[in-house]
Amino acid sequence: GDSVTQMEGPVTLSEEACLTINCTYTATGYPSLFWYVQYPGEGLQLLLKATKADDKGSNKGFEATYRKETTSFHLEKGSVQVSDSAVYFCALHAGNNRKLIWGLGTSLAVNP
Amino acid sequence: DAGVTQSPTHLIKTRGQHVTLRCSPISGHKSVSWYQQVLGQGPQFIFQYYEKEERGRGNFPDRFSARQFPNYSSELNVNALLLGDSALYLCASRTGGGRNTEAFFGQGTRLTVV
């Protein structure tokens, strides 16, 4: 069945460091891929998405490219800030499926 | 504009009791989905409703049920609560059922079963 695997956390970085959170998926057909973020005490928010191969989603300095050949959608940011501290979830939505399928989440802590 | 609203925000129940969680989607959104998020894990899909009909069901026991009303709001009901039902219950609304439409999440209802 469809699944998402993302790197385990927690990830701890210093401010202005580079961030990569790996995400790979297994899905039939051509899924849409998403990164959601959950800030402390808040609900899930869509960070970025890509709906077809080679699409790049970007938002708030974060980027992720839909790589069909490696079935990956890694999240990257060149310079993290303390305010980026949150839990990041990779998710997919397959064509005939009615649900989002989620990774386990990766906790990011950015220290000043 | 109001986002997705869920009520209550927190509640504590005793094993064996019943609970009803409520969700109001964003105005104009016809699809509502429910997810369970256990601490430290990703959300798990419970139900999706679109135009008042159930369109998807996750791997949850029959103790879990839901419905969607004519105004597109939704209720999630859980009977015979177990300790393992303690979790954050999330409601998400979307304009339609297509895979490219963004899901907007509410703040969730934190359920604690004691």
Side-chain angles (χ1 to χ4, degrees):
Chain A
D2 299 338
S3 66
V4 173
T5 303
Q6 62 180 105
M7 65 183 283
E8 292 185 18
V11 174
T12 303
L13 296 174
S14 298
E15 206 164 23
E16 299 183 4
C18 295
L19 169 71
T20 299
I21 301 178
N22 291 334
C23 172
T24 57
Y25 67 90
T26 302
T28 54
Y30 303 94
S32 293
L33 301 173
F34 304 85
W35 277 101
Y36 278 82
V37 60
Q38 192 170 32
Y39 297 103
E42 298 186 16
L44 287 160
Q45 302 174 28
L46 179 66
L47 181 59
L48 53 84
K49 71 176 185 180
T51 59
K52 61 183 187 295
D54 300 324
D55 266 2
K56 177 186 283 188
S58 62
N59 186 25
K60 298 182 181 179
F62 290 88
E63 292 183 341
T65 302
Y66 189 143
R67 301 283 188 202
K68 186 168 174 59
E69 63 276 15
T70 55
T71 61
S72 65
F73 192 55
H74 304 322
L75 182 68
E76 298 177 325
K77 187 172 185 180
S79 176
V80 294
Q81 306 300 312
V82 173
S83 58
D84 294 327
S85 298
V87 181
Y88 293 82
F89 291 93
C90 184
L92 71 83
H93 194 194
N96 292 327
N97 214 324
R98 300 293 182 179
K99 61 184 178 182
L100 282 165
I101 297 170
W102 300 80
L104 293 179
T106 303
S107 175
L108 170 66
V110 180
N111 297 321
Chain B
D1 286 343
V4 179
T5 57
Q6 293 186 243
S7 62
T9 54
H10 297 82
L11 75 165
I12 300 174
K13 290 286 190 177
T14 304
R15 276 180 300 173
Q17 285 188 313
H18 161 271
V19 68
T20 298
L21 311 181
R22 296 178 175 82
C23 172
S24 293
I26 292 172
S27 178
H29 286 196
K30 299 180 179 179
S31 172
V32 170
S33 297
W34 287 95
Y35 291 83
Q36 180 196 65
Q37 186 179 15
V38 174
L39 194 62
Q41 296 185 19
Q44 296 294 314
F45 172 75
I46 309 175
F47 288 107
Q48 189 213 5
Y49 278 78
Y50 178 68
E51 286 282 14
K52 293 156 282 185
E53 292 187 4
E54 182 183 303
R55 295 298 186 93
R57 174 186 285 257
N59 188 24
F60 280 80
D62 292 342
R63 299 184 295 107
F64 289 76
S65 63
R67 56 181 175 168
Q68 186 176 33
F69 298 100
N71 66 353
Y72 302 110
S73 67
S74 179
E75 284 182 353
L76 175 69
N77 295 283
V78 187
N79 292 324
L81 285 167
L82 303 174
L83 295 179
D85 295 330
S86 296
L88 180 67
Y89 289 84
L90 296 165
C91 174
S93 81
R94 298 160 72 193
T95 53
R99 66 184 179 93
N100 294 333
T101 56
E102 178 182 349
F104 293 83
F105 284 83
Q107 295 286 81
T109 294
R110 174 73 61 187
L111 171 65
T112 303
V113 182
V114 297

